[in-house]
Amino acid sequence: MNLSEKVLSIEPSQTLVFNNKALEMIKKNYNVIKMTAGEPDFSTPEPIIEAAYEAMKAGKTKYTKSIGIDELREKISEKLYVDNNLNYSASEIIVTNGGKQAIFNTLMAITNQGDEIIIISPAWVSYEAQILLCGGKVKIVNSKIENDFIPDIKDIENAINEKTKAIIINSPNNPTGAIYPASFLEELSKVIKKHEIFVISDEVYEKLSFDVKHISIASFEGMKPYSIVINAFSKSHSMTGWRIGYLAGPAEVVKQAQKIQSHLCSNVNTPTQYAALKALDINPTYMIDAFKERRKFVSEKLNEANIDYFYPKGAFYFFINVSKYFNSDLKNSYDFAIALLEKGKVGLTPGSAFFAEGYLRLSYACSMEDLKEGLKRIINFTNNL
Ligand code: GLU
């Protein structure tokens, strides 16, 4: 059968593949601890659920503008100003089905066949697939653990050529938990302005900046024409299944991105938009405090077991270096993740999903009880290798 070459060239999302593998085992009654997908274990806060319910009862069950209801975009505009020092009017914002669709709409709006988009490895799994689906080419710039997973500005500048259309950055970072310091973001903003490329700034882990205040690259002087800011409610308000996020960008980009949105999905489902409107009034500090406590616990356990890892400054992942355990049976991170799941009964995501062979990603967005048991099993598993 002659199917789309673009689609044949990509793999399903590995974060979700490993999550599904763990779920399948749980369904078969295996006692598996799941630390695969980045999905907070908390319930969505009650007032958010109520807001969706009230909206439905009030008849808010019809189409909305494809870019989203005015009230929500106005409130997002206010949030971007207050929290991030950004000036985007409501007409420069599109409400999307999660951060994923915000990135996809943006890439579709800016990418011509063969344009190069720079991503920083380790990189979240969906950037590459989305770039390829939009006809772009992926250019990878590596970041290293010894530099706290902050890429070298010179490597980024060297990767730029006449075909470069954009760079995607993600701070706080999935999968490493790195946070890019203001000095780095400022240097990068100069490079972006000099070469006149776009930056797609994925800020979905913004609220999970534990030790420093989150800074958006779009807030540096003169950056607005080059910046598209991506954000979502999934991680900040434990709303993964609601599928709601947004993009904010220069008017010309937004004008094109909204055409895509209108043809793809008309609008984000209406009650969810009212739920998100409520979410913007809620500061989920109890979740952030719990994540901090869990981060401390995981790091103490990994230290005790002498397992190498990067201490995360944000997001809810530990990036663990397991290369010292590789042997003829466990040749790479994929083998390791499969063995750990099948024999050790713990689900983690292999680093290969993030262009980072030798590592595994542990999501600590699960309960403390699961973390305790999961860490015990990981340590047992590695002790027996
Ligand atoms: N973003 C989360 C993760 O990396 C959820 C799954 C996904 O969308 O990839 O695990």
Side-chain angles (χ1 to χ4, degrees), residues 16 63-69 72-73 76 93-106 124 126 130 202 204 230-235 239-247 257-273 276:
L16 299 180
Y63 290 133
T64 68
K65 282 184 186 169
S66 66
I67 54 174
I69 55 174
L72 179 56
R73 286 176 301 103
I76 292 170
I93 291 165
I94 305 181
V95 178
T96 56
N97 287 286
K100 271 183 186 168
Q101 199 199 7
I103 300 168
F104 190 78
N105 285 358
T106 304
W124 178 50
S126 294
Q130 291 204 0
D202 178 349
V204 303
I230 309 292
N231 214 325
F233 296 85
S234 296
K235 321 290 179 183
M239 290 178 72
T240 47
W242 296 74
R243 308 310 306 135
I244 185 155
Y246 54 91
L247 67 89
Q258 90 180 57
K259 291 190 210 163
I260 303 157
Q261 171 96 352
S262 73
H263 287 296
L264 271 188
C265 63
S266 302
N267 59 264
V268 170
N269 97 63
T270 306
T272 290
Q273 295 191 53

Side-chain angles (χ1 to χ4, degrees), residues 13 15-16 36-39 100 124-126 174 205 235 243 317 349 354 361:
S13 163
T15 47
L16 299 180
T36 40
E39 175 163 51
K100 271 183 186 168
W124 178 50
V125 59
S126 294
N174 174 10
Y205 294 93
K235 321 290 179 183
R243 308 310 306 135
Y317 305 109
T349 310
F354 309 105
R361 188 191 74 175

Side-chain angles (χ1 to χ4, degrees), residues 101-244:
Q101 199 199 7
I103 300 168
F104 190 78
N105 285 358
T106 304
L107 285 168
M108 256 325 225
I110 66 172
T111 310
N112 286 313
Q113 192 69 31
D115 280 354
E116 290 184 6
I117 313 281
I118 298 173
I119 61 174
I120 312 295
S121 85
W124 178 50
V125 59
S126 294
Y127 297 144
E128 180 198 33
Q130 291 204 0
I131 292 166
L132 295 174
L133 288 174
C134 293
K137 281 195 174 149
V138 177
K139 187 95 172 221
I140 297 175
V141 170
N142 294 312
S143 68
K144 301 190 188 81
I145 192 165
E146 53 271 28
N147 299 330
D148 292 344
F149 287 117
I150 312 297
D152 193 321
I153 284 286
K154 283 196 219 86
D155 291 343
I156 294 177
E157 193 149 22
N158 288 339
I160 297 175
N161 60 45
E162 68 289 348
K163 288 197 173 144
T164 309
K165 184 53 77 68
I167 177 170
I168 303 182
I169 61 167
N170 173 217
S171 172
N173 186 269
N174 174 10
T176 65
I179 290 187
Y180 296 168
S183 54
F184 169 82
L185 292 172
E186 189 171 13
E187 284 309 304
L188 182 58
S189 73
K190 287 180 193 156
V191 170
I192 285 163
K193 284 181 283 188
K194 178 172 150 200
H195 294 278
E196 300 190 319
I197 61 170
F198 289 112
V199 58
I200 301 173
S201 181
D202 178 349
E203 303 181 15
V204 303
Y205 294 93
E206 167 192 9
K207 296 284 176 207
L208 296 149
S209 289
F210 300 127
D211 311 316
V212 287
K213 190 180 164 357
H214 173 75
I215 296 171
S216 173
I217 191 165
S219 65
F220 288 94
E221 212 192 318
M223 279 302 287
K224 186 170 173 190
Y226 305 104
S227 309
I228 298 101
V229 176
I230 309 292
N231 214 325
F233 296 85
S234 296
K235 321 290 179 183
S236 60
H237 292 81
S238 207
M239 290 178 72
T240 47
W242 296 74
R243 308 310 306 135
I244 185 155

